[in-house]
Amino acid sequence: PRVRLEAVRTAALMRTPEAAERALAVLDRPMDRTLDYALWLTIRELEPYWLPEFQAGRLTFGGDAKKLAFALNAIGNKDTVKPVLALIDSGKVPHENLHGLYLLLAQIGGPDELVRVMTRPGTAVERAELGQAVESAIRTRKVPAPKEPAGLLSLFRAGGDAERSAVRIAGLWKVAAHRVMLETLASEAETPADLRAAALEAVALFGDAKANELLTKLAIRHDKPEVQRLATAAFAALDLRGAANIAASHLADNDADPGMGDM
């Protein structure tokens, strides 16, 4: 810790935007009061060097919301959402840095900001990262559903990992308008296994009697053993004992089937 403390204070002497970024890397390790104060002091002293770069969109703190929040709080700006939105809307941010700002927005924004993140165009990899960032924000910060979660349709159409995130988000937000689609994805024989697993989890996230009924039906009666297994796993989130009983019954059926002896 003493070495890290000296490094943080030495960064203040460098007087460059990069020095602020390097100093903030201390947040990646455990902190104490002394380190916290040293970092706060360093970021304040480096404000004339890093803040203009941040305002120009050339400095995004690697998309790390924790570092951005610390930096803005150190200089007395506790609102982290408005500066990021202002940067995005300014049209001055280099294209290669925009994705990092949208990732930041997902980590700090509310319902409306998450919708904006979901509708951002980009490559398949970028859309997947944005979808996962929105999903993580809902799970960890309990961001409620917006009045109109239209951005989900954009993620659904993106396919791949982005689509799977959209499916789970629909469940986390309990979006009634997408429920039939989720149930169809969970039930149809042609649904790919990874997408089916996401849909089954989304159905379970509704957490009501209808979800219970569908998952029980799929776990017991579906023609495909793979679907039964995935439905049983999803059902465990609603009724662990019931899912265990279903799993036990499948094991008993397999033991009774001579054709399953070598499996």
Side-chain angles (χ1 to χ4, degrees):
R2 291 179 62 183
V3 175
R4 295 166 63 212
L5 176 64
E6 290 298 327
V8 166
R9 290 305 294 139
T10 301
L13 304 176
M14 296 171 67
R15 298 181 180 181
T16 65
E18 294 75 21
E21 277 197 304
R22 292 174 184 172
L24 286 164
V26 76
L27 291 172
D28 294 332
R29 301 283 299 277
M31 298 288 288
D32 58 31
R33 281 187 186 180
T34 306
L35 273 170
D36 191 271
Y37 175 70
L39 181 60
W40 176 85
L41 191 60
T42 295
I43 295 303
R44 285 180 66 87
E45 292 174 356
L46 290 173
E47 178 184 351
Y49 306 98
W50 69 261
L51 186 58
E53 292 298 296
F54 171 72
Q55 291 172 332
R58 292 187 290 269
L59 182 68
T60 64
F61 300 99
D64 191 324
K66 182 179 180 181
K67 293 173 183 175
L68 171 64
F70 189 101
L72 291 178
N73 287 338
I75 62 172
N77 186 343
K78 295 185 180 300
D79 189 342
T80 56
V81 175
K82 287 182 181 178
V84 174
L85 284 173
L87 270 176
I88 291 173
D89 293 336
S90 69
K92 299 177 182 179
V93 179
H95 179 74
E96 62 271 18
N97 289 351
L98 267 176
H99 182 63
L101 287 175
Y102 273 93
L103 287 174
L104 270 176
L105 191 60
Q107 294 179 57
I108 62 179
D112 293 339
E113 286 75 33
L114 294 192
V115 169
R116 183 164 181 174
V117 172
M118 289 189 292
T119 55
R120 159 135 174 97
T123 65
V125 172
E126 289 173 339
R127 298 302 306 280
E129 288 179 348
L130 293 174
Q132 290 163 4
V134 170
E135 182 183 347
S136 177
I138 299 169
R139 291 184 187 273
T140 59
R141 296 194 290 115
K142 310 299 181 187
V143 180
K147 293 181 179 178
E148 192 62 46
L152 270 175
L153 291 176
S154 177
L155 273 186
F156 276 126
R157 298 188 186 110
D161 289 337
E163 181 182 15
R164 289 187 284 276
S165 285
V167 166
R168 290 187 291 267
I169 291 168
L172 287 164
W173 274 344
K174 297 179 173 59
V175 182
H178 295 323
R179 186 160 189 171
V180 172
M181 179 188 65
L182 298 176
E183 292 172 347
T184 300
L185 288 173
S187 306
E188 283 188 342
E190 296 79 15
T191 304
D194 51 0
L195 184 57
R196 186 191 309 281
L200 286 165
E201 180 182 350
V203 169
L205 285 166
F206 277 86
D208 56 13
K210 188 178 179 183
N212 194 313
E213 180 182 356
L214 177 62
L215 292 174
T216 302
K217 177 182 175 182
L218 294 176
I220 296 175
R221 301 177 189 171
H222 200 281
D223 294 336
K224 287 188 172 184
E226 177 191 355
V227 176
Q228 292 180 342
R229 177 179 60 79
L230 291 173
T232 302
F235 183 46
L238 296 178
D239 183 350
L240 183 58
R241 179 174 294 181
N245 289 336
I246 292 172
S249 69
H250 288 323
L251 288 173
D253 290 342
N254 289 345
D255 288 342
D257 183 354
M260 303 292 288
D262 296 331
M263 295 187 68

